[in-house]
Amino acid sequence: AQKITQTQPGMFVQEKEAVTLDCTYDTSDPSYGLFWYKQPSSGEMIFLIYQGSYDQQNATEGRYSLNFQKARKSANLVISASQLGDSAMYFCAMSGFSGSARQLTFGSGTQLTVLP
Amino acid sequence: KAGVTQTPRYLIKTRGQQVTLSCSPISGHRSVSWYQQTPGQGLQFLFEYFSETQRNKGNFPGRFSGRQFSNSRSEMNVSTLELGDSALYLCASRSSGQGAGTGELFFGEGSRLTVL
């Protein structure tokens, strides 16, 4: 079975500083993908970044980068130059097989608050 | 390009009733997935439809069902509602015909169901 662990229920960061949100995963599937989503209070899940298990380089998307350490089974999200609009819940998710279903498994989320 | 549209956004039902939620995917997307989000259980996969066929199913009782129409629009139905069914129900679509591990999911804003 797959499992995603986010150990930081809440994080605070000062505006314009960088912040790292932790994510570890567990799976026996050799092929998987790792995603980060942002969920503002409106409820919509917004895709941020994706890393495939066979990708050699860490993924980057603008101010977002994914620090992928396969041996440690970690996929931390780094947000550079935080902005007030970054305040939201952040979810790490993994694709792969869970039982009979190929689906996304989500972590419990990290509530990020950016302070002015 | 219009995003994923879910209706209704909010609804209140009583125990024992049934409810139908609707999801219109992004134009051209043929895969639609449903997720349930609760404070206690987090985000959990319900099912995925592709070309009118249910391809994957999560670990939910048979009271939860869905379908997909020829225009890719999808509905999910919950019968004999229980208090624990109160949740945000999120629909997501993607363009790839492959499993959830390839291609990002685009989410709607969700339908917030309250069961009294």
Side-chain angles (χ1 to χ4, degrees):
Chain A
Q2 301 171 48
K3 187 176 181 182
I4 292 275
T5 303
Q6 294 180 255
T7 57
Q8 307 154 312
M11 288 277 288
F12 291 89
V13 64
Q14 209 67 40
E15 193 179 7
K16 299 181 184 176
E17 291 186 348
V19 62
T20 298
L21 306 184
D22 294 341
C23 172
T24 58
Y25 62 91
D26 190 23
T27 181
S28 56
D29 192 341
S31 175
Y32 53 89
L34 294 156
F35 301 76
W36 277 92
Y37 282 87
K38 170 185 177 182
Q39 187 178 41
S41 55
S42 62
E44 181 182 4
M45 297 283 281
I46 301 167
F47 167 77
L48 296 178
I49 197 165
Y50 166 81
Q51 177 88 39
S53 58
Y54 296 117
D55 294 342
Q56 296 295 316
Q57 303 228 345
N58 286 344
T60 60
E61 290 284 350
R63 295 186 299 110
Y64 305 106
S65 60
L66 198 152
N67 184 2
F68 181 47
Q69 298 188 43
K70 197 169 183 177
R72 294 187 175 187
K73 294 189 175 180
S74 75
N76 298 338
L77 176 71
V78 180
I79 305 175
S80 63
S82 298
Q83 301 172 356
L84 295 178
D86 293 335
S87 293
M89 184 72 90
Y90 288 80
F91 290 96
C92 179
M94 177 172 62
S95 65
F97 283 99
S98 180
S100 61
R102 188 165 182 88
Q103 63 194 58
L104 280 187
T105 300
F106 285 85
S108 55
T110 296
Q111 179 69 48
L112 176 67
T113 302
V114 181
L115 303 172
Chain B
K1 190 173 184 182
V4 177
T5 304
Q6 291 188 246
T7 56
R9 290 290 315 280
Y10 303 91
L11 66 166
I12 300 173
K13 294 284 187 179
T14 56
R15 278 184 301 171
Q17 287 187 311
Q18 74 164 19
V19 66
T20 299
L21 308 178
S22 178
C23 172
S24 294
I26 290 172
S27 177
H29 286 191
R30 295 165 64 191
S31 167
V32 174
S33 301
W34 289 89
Y35 287 80
Q36 181 197 64
Q37 186 177 20
T38 60
Q41 300 296 318
L43 278 149
Q44 294 185 287
F45 172 74
L46 280 158
F47 26 65
E48 179 190 10
Y49 287 86
F50 179 77
S51 293
E52 301 180 66
T53 301
Q54 185 181 88
R55 184 159 58 181
N56 298 314
K57 188 178 189 325
N59 189 26
F60 276 81
R63 301 186 296 108
F64 292 81
S65 63
R67 58 178 175 168
Q68 186 180 34
F69 302 95
S70 58
N71 61 358
S72 294
R73 190 177 70 85
S74 176
E75 288 181 348
M76 69 161 282
N77 183 277
V78 187
S79 62
T80 319
L81 284 166
E82 300 176 0
L83 296 179
D85 296 334
S86 294
L88 179 66
Y89 290 88
L90 290 161
C91 169
S93 75
R94 60 183 183 83
S95 60
S96 171
Q98 300 176 46
T102 57
E104 68 205 63
L105 290 180
F106 293 85
F107 283 83
E109 291 186 303
S111 293
R112 189 168 295 279
L113 170 66
T114 301
V115 182
L116 302 176

